Amino acid sequence: MSTALLALFAVILCILFRILNVNSAPQKPLLICKDEGFLSTVLKIAPAITEPYKPTRLWGFSGHVQTIVHSIIGRVRCPWPIGERVYMGLADETTLTYDLYQPLSNTHEDDVTIAICPGIGNSSESVYIRTFVHFAQCHGYRCAVLNHVGALSSVKVTSPRIFTYGHTDDYHTMLKNLMERHPSTKIVCVGFSLGGNLVTKYMGEQGVNKASNIIGAISICQGYNALEGTKYLLNWTNFRRFYLYIMTESVRNIILRHKNVLLSEDVKKKHNLNEKEIVSAATLPELDEAYTRKVHNFKSVKDLYKWSSSLFYLHNIAAPVVFVNALDDPIIHESLLEPVKDLATTKMQVLYVQLAHGGHLGFYEGGLLYPNPITWLDRTLVALVGSLTLAHSDRALKSY
């Protein structure tokens, strides 16, 4: 009996070690950048991207655990930064808000604002956003965080819409208001996951009167192509269907929380919405078929996804941009990363940073079981903002 128990214990340990991937070793990020001058400037402030990333030893080498810990627990010793909530009434009667946080130190000659676009259904109150904002404030940066319409339970939805995957108007409105308040500030756009897609699409949209103060952008853990990405999320390989379920529930809960406005009888009649179909939708494509594409007047979900995907706007980007992805991100299939790798090999002022580990927005580092309070992502993003600021200053000197 004892032998059988020992054998069972050994099997459990082997499975656990396999799941946690503990045999892996820290690896240096893969850097792809055609522009050697731009890369050299970035590395002056952000040498961390050339050094091995060291995940938390016992569980940090698992992309699933990194992702789940980030989603459920968030950051260690997470602060709650103090800022000002800005309210704006839009022409379509939407109440748009963003939170503005002033720097806590005077460590820079330049006035720099980090304009943050959070992930799906997230806001300034999301734990990973709060931690990054506080860390950036302590390093002398102002931060502006877009609150996706519908994401804050404390802010009522006042028009029959919430955020979408590709509409960049809300982000642009925040930037315009920000420049009215701080006309001389230099802006670095930072987007996480869905926010990374929105920021990238915004940077590449033609005919859009983008904020003139933008000096660069950083995208973290986006999938670039919703058309192809959704196909992978719809199968159970690497448990992607589980993550799709979580995202579907998040968006549906937002819709139902504000159903008095979003699903009023007038709105349902105008857009031919069936509430039962919305409530019973099992996946995001089903929910987008029942709700999103109808409210935003797309003929099909395919049309909505193609229009929303930043992939189709990459080559129009003129400002410096840094893309960050993890190879073990359980939500983003590896094949989705190829187009942005190709972009970094052909386009100037583009840097692609790929980590072997980190999961989806996790990037915990240090420690055996208990990670460092500041993640690799937080400290590296602050350094990359500094790098883009330096690159802008160098270009200004050369043009002068």
Side-chain angles (χ1 to χ4, degrees):
M1 184 66 178
S2 59
T3 304
L5 283 174
L6 283 173
L8 179 61
F9 181 69
V11 170
I12 292 172
L13 272 182
C14 288
I15 294 173
L16 205 58
F17 271 61
R18 180 67 180 270
I19 293 172
L20 296 178
N21 204 22
V22 294
N23 290 326
S24 295
Q27 297 181 36
K28 292 182 179 180
L30 168 68
L31 305 181
I32 301 178
C33 185
K34 174 188 178 181
D35 192 336
E36 293 183 4
F38 177 59
L39 179 60
S40 176
T41 300
V42 169
L43 295 180
K44 289 178 183 177
I45 308 294
I49 61 174
T50 65
E51 302 164 357
Y53 161 55
K54 299 177 181 179
T56 304
R57 182 67 255 179
L58 285 184
W59 52 265
F61 289 93
S62 168
H64 289 292
V65 178
Q66 285 253 18
T67 302
I68 292 168
V69 170
H70 160 262
S71 300
I72 298 175
I73 299 175
R75 300 303 196 220
V76 179
R77 300 175 191 169
C78 181
W80 196 292
I82 305 301
E84 170 195 3
R85 180 154 294 168
V86 180
Y87 290 79
M88 292 173 287
L90 308 187
D92 66 354
E93 299 185 348
T94 294
T95 299
L96 182 66
T97 70
Y98 74 93
D99 284 25
L100 186 60
Y101 305 88
Q102 300 301 332
L104 298 177
S105 65
N106 296 315
T107 55
H108 305 289
E109 293 182 5
D110 293 321
D111 179 340
V112 179
T113 302
I114 306 174
I116 300 168
C117 193
I120 188 168
N122 295 163
S123 69
S124 61
E125 296 180 1
S126 299
V127 172
Y128 72 99
I129 298 294
R130 284 161 39 197
T131 308
F132 173 61
V133 165
H134 184 261
F135 192 61
Q137 281 182 292
C138 291
H139 283 76
Y141 295 110
R142 180 185 299 107
C143 293
V145 184
L146 179 69
N147 296 313
H148 290 301
V149 176
L152 288 172
S153 57
S154 59
V155 177
K156 292 182 179 180
V157 168
T158 54
S159 68
R161 74 163 179 94
I162 57 171
F163 68 93
T164 70
Y165 319 124
H167 285 89
T168 58
D169 293 349
D170 292 345
Y171 188 71
H172 179 61
T173 301
M174 178 184 79
L175 295 183
K176 287 197 300 180
N177 186 273
L178 176 63
M179 288 190 299
E180 290 173 4
R181 291 166 174 262
H182 301 280
S184 62
T185 192
K186 298 178 176 65
I187 298 172
V188 176
C189 301
V190 173
F192 296 87
S193 192
L194 164 76
N197 180 77
L198 285 168
V199 163
T200 304
K201 182 175 185 280
Y202 177 69
M203 299 296 291
E205 285 176 326
Q206 290 184 317
V208 175
N209 184 23
K210 289 184 278 290
S212 58
N213 297 35
I214 294 174
I215 62 172
I218 307 170
S219 162
I220 308 101
C221 291
Q222 68 151 310
Y224 307 98
N225 187 347
L227 279 170
E228 292 301 315
T230 305
K231 294 177 183 177
Y232 291 110
L233 287 169
L234 284 170
N235 65 62
W236 280 101
T237 304
N238 209 23
F239 300 102
R240 290 193 180 91
R241 186 69 177 251
F242 166 76
Y243 295 102
L244 180 63
Y245 168 77
I246 299 300
M247 289 186 281
T248 305
E249 287 301 297
S250 175
V251 177
R252 188 199 344 265
N253 288 339
I254 289 173
I255 294 171
L256 296 180
R257 187 166 66 228
H258 303 286
K259 64 178 293 185
N260 62 316
V261 175
L262 300 177
L263 299 178
S264 68
E265 291 303 319
D266 288 344
V267 171
K268 287 193 288 187
K269 185 176 180 180
K270 178 181 178 181
H271 297 290
N272 192 28
L273 300 177
N274 185 321
E275 189 170 338
K276 289 183 179 180
E277 291 179 355
I278 294 169
V279 172
S280 63
T283 65
L284 269 183
E286 290 181 16
L287 185 59
D288 291 331
E289 172 61 36
Y291 176 77
T292 313
R293 70 101 181 160
K294 293 181 178 180
V295 171
H296 294 283
N297 299 314
F298 286 91
K299 291 182 179 179
S300 67
V301 171
K302 182 178 179 180
D303 288 345
L304 168 66
Y305 287 175
K306 184 175 182 180
W307 176 84
S308 299
S309 299
S310 68
L311 170 68
F312 304 104
Y313 304 84
L314 291 175
H315 289 86
N316 295 326
I317 296 174
V321 60
V322 180
F323 299 100
V324 181
N325 284 96
L327 206 54
D328 68 350
D329 186 331
I331 296 174
I332 310 300
H333 191 273
E334 182 179 348
S335 65
L336 300 174
L337 309 178
E338 293 305 315
V340 77
K341 290 182 183 179
D342 293 341
L343 183 77
T345 63
T346 58
K347 193 174 182 65
M348 301 298 281
Q349 298 186 115
V350 174
L351 169 61
Y352 175 72
V353 182
Q354 178 180 285
L355 283 81
H357 306 102
H360 191 75
L361 301 180
F363 300 100
Y364 296 92
E365 69 176 346
L368 180 65
L369 178 64
Y370 200 70
N372 298 341
I374 300 300
T375 66
W376 179 93
L377 184 60
D378 290 335
R379 64 184 181 88
T380 302
L381 280 180
V382 166
L384 288 172
V385 171
S387 297
L388 291 175
T389 305
L390 178 61
H392 175 77
S393 298
D394 287 352
R395 290 195 306 275
L397 285 173
K398 288 178 182 177
S399 62
Y400 181 79

